[in-house]
Amino acid sequence: VEVNGGYDFSDDLGITANATYLDAKNEVTGKDLTERPEWLINSSLSWAIVENYRMNFGASYVGHQMLSSGKELPAYTTYDLTFTSPLSSRLTLDYGVKNLTDVDLEDKNKTFNTKLYGRNYFLKATYSF
Protein backbone atom coordinates (compact mmCIF):
# COMPACT_ATOMS: atom_id res chain seq x y z
CA VAL A 1 0.00 0.00 0.00
CA GLU A 2 1.36 3.40 -0.91
CA VAL A 3 0.03 6.85 -0.07
CA ASN A 4 1.46 10.20 -1.09
CA GLY A 5 0.43 13.80 -0.96
CA GLY A 6 1.48 17.34 -0.49
CA TYR A 7 0.24 20.70 0.56
CA ASP A 8 1.36 24.21 -0.33
CA PHE A 9 0.85 26.52 2.63
CA SER A 10 1.80 29.43 0.36
CA ASP A 11 3.81 30.05 -2.80
CA ASP A 12 6.92 29.97 -0.61
CA LEU A 13 6.25 27.03 1.72
CA GLY A 14 5.08 23.49 1.02
CA ILE A 15 5.33 19.92 2.25
CA THR A 16 5.22 16.56 0.49
CA ALA A 17 5.24 13.06 1.94
CA ASN A 18 4.80 9.48 0.90
CA ALA A 19 4.52 6.26 2.86
CA THR A 20 4.75 2.65 1.71
CA TYR A 21 3.58 -0.31 3.78
CA LEU A 22 4.82 -3.72 2.65
CA ASP A 23 3.60 -7.00 4.16
CA ALA A 24 6.10 -9.18 2.27
CA LYS A 25 5.70 -12.78 3.38
CA ASN A 26 6.69 -16.15 1.93
CA GLU A 27 3.34 -17.71 1.01
CA VAL A 28 4.59 -21.22 1.83
CA THR A 29 6.29 -20.61 5.19
CA GLY A 30 4.46 -17.45 6.29
CA LYS A 31 7.78 -15.87 7.28
CA ASP A 32 8.72 -12.29 6.39
CA LEU A 33 10.77 -11.93 3.21
CA THR A 34 14.31 -10.90 4.02
CA GLU A 35 15.58 -7.34 3.77
CA ARG A 36 12.17 -5.89 2.93
CA PRO A 37 11.27 -3.11 5.36
CA GLU A 38 7.67 -3.02 6.47
CA TRP A 39 7.56 0.80 6.28
CA LEU A 40 9.27 3.36 4.03
CA ILE A 41 8.37 6.99 4.68
CA ASN A 42 9.77 10.08 2.94
CA SER A 43 8.89 13.70 3.58
CA SER A 44 10.18 17.03 2.38
CA LEU A 45 9.62 20.61 3.46
CA SER A 46 10.28 23.17 0.72
CA TRP A 47 10.79 26.84 1.52
CA ALA A 48 11.54 29.72 -0.85
CA ILE A 49 13.75 31.76 1.47
CA VAL A 50 14.02 34.66 -0.96
CA GLU A 51 13.08 35.00 -4.61
CA ASN A 52 14.89 32.40 -6.77
CA TYR A 53 16.40 30.63 -3.77
CA ARG A 54 14.76 27.49 -2.38
CA MET A 55 15.67 25.21 0.49
CA ASN A 56 14.41 21.62 0.92
CA PHE A 57 14.69 19.67 4.13
CA GLY A 58 13.96 15.97 3.66
CA ALA A 59 13.69 12.96 5.95
CA SER A 60 13.65 9.28 4.96
CA TYR A 61 12.57 6.53 7.37
CA VAL A 62 13.29 2.85 6.67
CA GLY A 63 11.46 0.49 9.03
CA HIS A 64 12.76 -2.67 10.64
CA GLN A 65 13.54 -5.64 8.40
CA MET A 66 14.40 -9.30 8.83
CA LEU A 67 17.49 -11.22 7.75
CA SER A 68 17.41 -14.81 6.50
CA SER A 69 18.98 -15.80 9.84
CA GLY A 70 15.82 -14.57 11.58
CA LYS A 71 17.54 -11.57 13.15
CA GLU A 72 15.72 -8.27 12.99
CA LEU A 73 17.50 -5.16 11.72
CA PRO A 74 16.51 -1.88 13.38
CA ALA A 75 14.75 1.01 11.68
CA TYR A 76 16.70 4.15 10.78
CA THR A 77 16.12 7.70 9.53
CA THR A 78 18.30 9.92 7.35
CA TYR A 79 18.01 13.66 6.72
CA ASP A 80 19.00 15.74 3.68
CA LEU A 81 19.30 19.48 3.10
CA THR A 82 19.23 20.85 -0.45
CA PHE A 83 19.44 24.38 -1.83
CA THR A 84 18.28 25.33 -5.34
CA SER A 85 19.26 28.50 -7.17
CA PRO A 86 18.38 29.36 -10.77
CA LEU A 87 21.44 31.07 -12.22
CA SER A 88 19.65 31.96 -15.47
CA SER A 89 16.44 31.01 -17.28
CA ARG A 90 18.15 27.79 -18.44
CA LEU A 91 20.73 27.00 -15.75
CA THR A 92 19.87 25.81 -12.22
CA LEU A 93 22.29 24.94 -9.44
CA ASP A 94 21.45 22.41 -6.69
CA TYR A 95 23.78 21.78 -3.77
CA GLY A 96 23.57 20.49 -0.24
CA VAL A 97 24.22 17.76 2.27
CA LYS A 98 22.91 14.19 2.24
CA ASN A 99 22.75 12.02 5.36
CA LEU A 100 23.11 15.19 7.43
CA THR A 101 23.31 13.33 10.76
CA ASP A 102 25.93 10.87 9.41
CA VAL A 103 23.92 7.69 10.04
CA ASP A 104 26.14 4.59 9.92
CA LEU A 105 24.14 1.36 9.70
CA GLU A 106 27.01 -0.70 11.12
CA ASP A 107 26.74 1.35 14.32
CA LYS A 108 23.11 0.26 14.59
CA ASN A 109 23.72 -3.41 13.75
CA LYS A 110 26.81 -5.12 12.28
CA THR A 111 24.66 -7.45 10.12
CA PHE A 112 23.25 -4.76 7.78
CA ASN A 113 23.91 -5.78 4.17
CA THR A 114 23.24 -2.23 3.02
CA LYS A 115 25.94 0.43 3.17
CA LEU A 116 24.98 4.09 3.35
CA TYR A 117 27.33 6.85 2.38
CA GLY A 118 28.19 8.87 5.45
CA ARG A 119 27.49 12.58 5.45
CA ASN A 120 28.26 13.76 1.95
CA TYR A 121 28.07 16.97 -0.02
CA PHE A 122 26.89 17.42 -3.56
CA LEU A 123 26.71 19.98 -6.33
CA LYS A 124 24.54 19.58 -9.43
CA ALA A 125 24.04 21.89 -12.39
CA THR A 126 21.06 21.46 -14.73
CA TYR A 127 20.92 23.10 -18.14
CA SER A 128 17.58 23.07 -19.99
CA PHE A 129 17.31 23.64 -23.73
Side-chain angles (χ1 to χ4, degrees):
V1 176
E2 186 167 353
V3 176
N4 63 52
Y7 184 76
D8 290 328
F9 299 101
S10 68
D11 288 342
D12 298 333
L13 184 66
I15 190 168
T16 60
N18 73 308
T20 302
Y21 173 76
L22 182 63
D23 187 18
K25 297 204 181 289
N26 182 315
E27 291 182 4
V28 175
T29 65
K31 292 183 179 182
D32 288 339
L33 293 180
T34 60
E35 299 181 49
R36 302 289 193 277
E38 187 176 37
W39 283 99
L40 293 171
I41 301 171
N42 299 290
S43 62
S44 178
L45 179 67
S46 178
W47 177 34
I49 301 167
V50 294
E51 187 176 353
N52 292 330
Y53 191 78
R54 184 165 290 278
M55 180 188 78
N56 288 295
F57 177 74
S60 297
Y61 169 82
V62 177
H64 73 276
Q65 37 192 314
M66 300 299 290
L67 289 174
S68 57
S69 65
K71 291 184 180 181
E72 183 176 316
L73 296 174
Y76 62 92
T77 304
T78 60
Y79 303 94
D80 302 326
L81 187 61
T82 303
F83 299 94
T84 302
S85 304
L87 300 178
S88 71
S89 62
R90 295 182 179 255
L91 183 62
T92 303
L93 189 64
D94 294 310
Y95 50 96
V97 183
K98 293 191 176 215
N99 195 358
L100 190 61
T101 54
D102 201 21
V103 171
D104 185 346
L105 296 181
E106 287 184 358
D107 286 347
K108 294 186 171 292
N109 190 308
K110 298 282 185 207
T111 56
F112 263 105
N113 291 330
T114 303
K115 179 69 176 157
L116 289 180
Y117 286 114
R119 180 180 306 117
N120 61 91
Y121 306 89
F122 71 95
L123 174 67
K124 176 180 86 170
T126 305
Y127 184 78
S128 301
F129 52 93

